[in-house]
Amino acid sequence: MSRKGHYVYVDTSFAKQGEKAVLLSSDLQAEEWNCLRLVYQITTPLGSVSEPSQLNLYVRFEDESFDRLLWSTKEPSDSWLIASLDLQNSSKKFKILIEGVLGQGNTASIALFEIKMTTGYCIDCDFEENHLCGFVNRWNPNVNWFVGGGTAKNTHSILPWDHTFRSEQGHYMYVDSVYVKHFQEVAQLISPMTTAPMSGCLSFYYQLQQGNDNVFSLYTRDMAGLYEEIWKVDSPGNAVWNLAEVEFSAPYPMEVIFEVAFNGPKGGYVALDDISFSPVHCQNQTGLPFSAVGTSCDFEKDLCNFYQDKEGPGWTRVRVKANMYRTGDHTTGTGHYLLANTKFTSQPGYIGRLYGPSLPGNMQYCVRFHYAIIGFLKMSDTLAVYIFEENHVVQEKIWSVLESPRGVWMQAEVSFKKPMPTKVVFMSLCKSFWDCGLVALDDITIQLGNCRSPERLPPPPGECTFDQDECAFTQEKRNRSSWHRGRGETPTSYTGPKGDHTTGVGYYMYIEASHMVYGQKAHLLSQPLRGVPGKHCLIFFYHMYGAGTGLLSVYLKREEDSKESLLWRRKGEQSISWLRALVEYSSRRQHQIIFEAIRGVSIRSDIAIDDVKFQAGPCEEMEDTSQQSSGYSEDLNEIDY
């Protein structure tokens, strides 16, 4: 970085630990794909710090009442670092919000040298700017990528003019073999990590002085560190700029790595210039890249792209009306799911195979689904997932159920990658006539990537599963009669959920009726949400099971209003299942959403909520509003239980 120029900073000379400094951009619009580059530095005192400073970057869309975290870092450095963030094209106006949160220590500081938004992809680069678009060399004592061109003459090889300007003024990257000491010494040039899904054609120009003693390859690397070669030079090069076009798909964050491996000091040089990406496919590609759209199903309308073989009773698509005796589906609590009803088969063995859509080979997949087991003395292998290789008819078991709570929707996930095209097959097994039960299946999703890929960002601020903490929800007072965060069953029998809605083994918020008296209220408040024009949709799951169940209400509290307005309410026992609520509202002023639970007539009145989500725009499908009203009396004595 140039030593000249100005930068902005926040440090402990005028702010305390934990205090925030915020920069807000003017209104922006990105009709085309843009790249936002940030040059920053975080300094910390010597020694380990338990609470380092943090730099966060948010996007604030005009129609959303919360800010989306796009990028966050706590990485301290002695020098300036560069972050490259892809901004997808959108017709919505937005603002960029940069927040610095000071950490521990007297010398903690956060500085910003440059913020720049340019049209194009972050992976594009002509190497003419001194930040090199965020590309970095992985240092090696003997071979490294250097900037070539310009007036620099720092190599033993005769290097070319650049490709961009075809003159001495232009720049490119090159790696030279003159200092190679060992067989297969490797130099790597690493792109910034993609931050938005992209698919299309990656092109670049390269030169090889000679192709005998070096191997020039292109790899992708995901956040779990998994490498995949996507291109390799296939003919000895000549000293001209050659165009390479590579089909590139990054459905999840990944880096591109340009790697040269030298066999000895006579490998010559490799030069690279003008890397660019286009969302259309390379000319030499006929087929479209695989998209995971259409590989998921919630079974609400039909079987989607899943099907089953004709043998045996198989899987039946069923719907259970919300009641106290049968578990409803996982999607809404009142919708459809698949049931392998092994109670009525007279012959042990596999009774149903459900096949998923065809998946191309050599790609990493993550399969997630929800299942519930009812009955069965021995649970093992009552449900199993197989991979079916289409060409070889080879079946391989990749998952099977072990012991888990009965009658609870549990989430399972499994990653796999196979060289051949495959299908995922769900099989239900009944081992003996005397030990059969029900196997339920719902909400299957198949995504590209590894299930265990480390997530760099927390969920959007408008979503909360309560699995990590209470997110941005607060309570006016905390005591035994407040909302509690819990998992598993609630302490009182015949009331409350058996597990959370998200995974079956996670956390939810609930009131414990045995700690409260009849009519006592507990309030859970959202963070203040920004007022925006247009409608908003609040989606959450609620659980109201128990003979004495009271009231669950959702209120809207607008800034400067003395009274809250009632948006939604349920009273009394509803179902043994988690049920989905969709609540549409609008507020142009800053506001809060309040969940109020009122304890009913007996200790069997635990009420729970889970998986809260705020989203911009109207609710897509409004549920039956016959139970919805804002005309309830606030006096419990007037409410008929």
Side-chain angles (χ1 to χ4, degrees), residues 29-338:
Q29 202 154 2
E31 296 279 2
E32 295 178 72
W33 195 288
N34 276 261
C35 180
L36 183 71
R37 288 205 172 86
L38 201 69
V39 181
Y40 68 94
Q41 185 177 1
I42 298 176
T43 53
T44 54
L46 293 169
S48 63
V49 172
S50 59
E51 289 186 43
S53 298
Q54 185 165 350
L55 185 59
N56 302 318
L57 189 140
Y58 296 90
V59 179
R60 175 178 289 181
F61 285 106
E62 62 177 349
D63 64 341
E64 292 186 349
S65 54
F66 48 83
D67 302 326
R68 291 176 177 270
L69 183 61
L70 187 66
W71 173 82
S72 179
T73 186
K74 292 181 177 178
E75 185 184 355
S77 167
D78 295 332
S79 58
W80 293 101
L81 299 177
I82 182 167
S84 303
L85 308 164
D86 284 297
L87 298 177
Q88 286 173 287
N89 44 327
S90 166
S91 56
K92 292 183 190 177
K93 282 186 182 165
F94 63 93
K95 287 180 165 74
I96 297 291
L97 206 92
I98 299 172
E99 176 186 76
V101 186
L102 278 173
Q104 272 181 323
N106 297 330
T107 56
S109 74
I110 305 168
L112 288 178
F113 182 80
E114 186 179 69
I115 306 159
K116 195 173 184 182
M117 195 167 106
T118 52
T119 305
Y121 294 81
C122 291
I123 213 165
D124 294 351
C125 200
D126 60 11
F127 303 108
E128 297 305 331
E129 304 227 15
N130 57 5
H131 54 53
L132 303 181
C133 319
F135 277 77
V136 292
N137 168 69
R138 196 188 80 177
W139 194 79
N140 177 323
N142 301 322
V143 288
N144 289 283
W145 286 90
F146 293 103
V147 180
T151 52
K153 298 279 185 261
N154 54 353
T155 175
H156 296 257
S157 301
I158 316 286
L159 287 171
W161 281 356
D162 85 311
H163 180 266
T164 319
F165 298 120
R166 298 187 184 274
S167 73
E168 281 192 0
Q169 273 65 54
H171 297 85
Y172 52 88
M173 299 301 289
Y174 76 95
V175 58
D176 200 328
S177 65
V178 69
Y179 297 114
V180 167
K181 299 273 196 312
H182 310 288
F183 180 69
Q184 284 283 300
E185 286 228 57
V186 166
Q188 287 187 337
L189 184 69
I190 303 168
S191 79
M193 183 82 76
T194 62
T195 57
M198 48 203 275
S199 176
C201 192
L202 183 68
S203 62
F204 55 93
Y205 286 86
Y206 69 96
Q207 269 199 37
L208 298 171
Q209 191 180 13
Q210 57 191 70
N212 311 335
D213 274 355
N214 64 51
V215 179
F216 182 29
S217 313
L218 185 59
Y219 292 88
T220 58
R221 181 172 66 187
D222 66 14
M223 292 172 64
L226 193 73
Y227 278 82
E228 184 173 352
E229 185 181 280
I230 58 172
W231 177 87
K232 189 189 228 167
V233 73
D234 57 359
S235 59
N238 48 15
V240 295
W241 286 107
N242 300 284
L243 171 66
E245 292 189 318
V246 186
E247 200 65 27
F248 174 65
S249 179
Y252 45 90
M254 59 172 64
E255 298 161 329
V256 171
I257 299 175
F258 292 88
E259 181 181 284
V260 180
F262 289 107
N263 292 334
K266 293 199 165 77
Y269 69 83
V270 175
L272 172 69
D273 204 0
D274 293 344
I275 301 165
S276 70
F277 175 80
S278 164
V280 296
H281 306 292
C282 302
Q283 290 179 341
N284 57 2
Q285 285 284 327
T286 49
L288 293 172
F290 173 74
S291 164
V293 177
T295 59
S296 302
C297 198
D298 60 11
F299 305 106
E300 292 308 313
K301 294 189 174 64
D302 51 32
L303 294 185
C304 312
N305 290 316
F306 288 75
Y307 66 93
Q308 51 186 333
D309 56 17
K310 304 285 188 290
E311 302 163 26
W315 296 87
T316 311
R317 189 169 152 267
V318 298
R319 180 177 194 171
V320 175
K321 196 173 178 192
N323 60 37
M324 305 312 128
Y325 313 106
R326 290 280 297 275
T327 305
D329 80 316
H330 180 264
T331 320
T332 65
T334 56
H336 293 81
Y337 59 97
L338 295 188

